[in-house]
Amino acid sequence: MTLRVHNLSVSLDGFAAGPDQSRSDPMGVDGMALHQWVFAEHSDADQRMLDLGTENIGATIMGRNMFGPVRGEWPNYDWRGWWGDEPPYHHPVFVLTHHPRPPLQMDGTTFYFTDDPIESVLDRAHEAATGKDVRLGGGASTVRQYLSAGLVDHLHLAVSPVILGGGEPIYDGWDRTTLERTEVEGSDQVLHVVYSRAR
């Protein structure tokens, strides 16, 4: 069982989201430009990378920012994620937050909100994945925490030809020698760079 990051879109200047994220602008100013490759006509390389992101995944870990725009204490539990009533996960999802709330059961997906240490959350996710791998979603802060702890086995960055000039950095605060580059492949839309845990 491994911890995998897939299709993490980043700008040329190393940001995984633009500045000033909000409910109306969840990826920050100009942040959606990072993901245009996902919605464009896919090359074979793009499609292969997208498909790998769901292959043999049994649980997901994400940060609270990826779940929604609500900050601080939950005023209520009305917010149920960006995805509507049918989230795309169809497996357990662990949401890192300083403000836990009761689990949220939706169509094929249960969200667990936890302030446990990231290592403990990973243990829970591995158990919930029942022999499959765990996918690490965004945002950038969550990915950086796991990278800093040396817990990421697979990191796929989709480098978009966009300069944001600010926002959520992905490269700060972790030792890059813990990973080694194993694949580089480009398309008209994006450059796919894959790293694996250094042996």
Side-chain angles (χ1 to χ4, degrees), residues 1-191:
M1 295 186 296
T2 60
L3 180 62
R4 296 159 40 190
V5 178
H6 286 276
N7 304 309
L8 180 61
S9 296
V10 299
S11 65
L12 289 173
D13 49 348
F15 296 101
D20 302 321
Q21 291 172 273
S22 66
R23 185 167 184 164
S24 60
D25 212 355
M27 293 304 301
V29 176
D30 295 331
M32 280 305 296
L34 300 177
H35 304 276
Q36 291 308 307
W37 71 275
V38 176
F39 306 107
E41 183 175 349
H42 298 146
S43 70
D44 290 345
D46 296 341
Q47 189 61 57
R48 182 172 66 86
M49 291 298 182
L50 288 168
D51 292 343
L52 286 173
T54 58
E55 187 177 285
N56 197 46
I57 298 294
T60 292
I61 298 170
M62 68 172 61
R64 180 171 171 176
N65 285 4
M66 186 170 175
F67 178 77
V70 183
R71 303 293 183 261
E73 294 284 353
W74 301 93
N76 53 56
Y77 299 146
D78 291 347
W79 181 261
R80 297 165 62 86
W82 299 106
W83 310 279
D85 292 331
E86 299 182 7
Y89 300 98
H90 306 294
H91 55 236
V93 177
F94 296 85
V95 181
L96 305 182
T97 174
H98 295 298
H99 302 280
R101 57 180 264 190
L104 171 62
Q105 294 185 348
M106 301 182 72
D107 185 19
T109 302
T110 300
F111 293 92
Y112 298 94
F113 303 87
T114 176
D115 61 354
D116 288 345
I118 61 170
E119 295 85 356
S120 299
V121 177
L122 181 57
D123 288 341
R124 290 177 61 190
H126 277 311
E127 182 176 358
T130 60
K132 295 184 178 180
D133 293 337
V134 175
R135 180 167 176 171
L136 180 60
S141 174
T142 298
V143 174
R144 288 197 312 268
Q145 288 182 65
Y146 278 93
L147 286 169
S148 296
L151 297 172
V152 174
D153 300 291
H154 175 100
L155 173 65
H156 164 217
L157 301 177
V159 184
S160 295
V162 174
I163 296 175
L164 293 178
E168 289 290 327
I170 194 61
Y171 299 124
D172 293 0
W174 53 279
D175 181 3
R176 290 153 192 74
T177 65
T178 61
L179 298 173
E180 58 186 10
R181 191 179 69 232
T182 55
E183 185 177 357
V184 178
E185 187 169 5
S187 71
D188 291 342
Q189 299 287 331
V190 69
L191 178 67

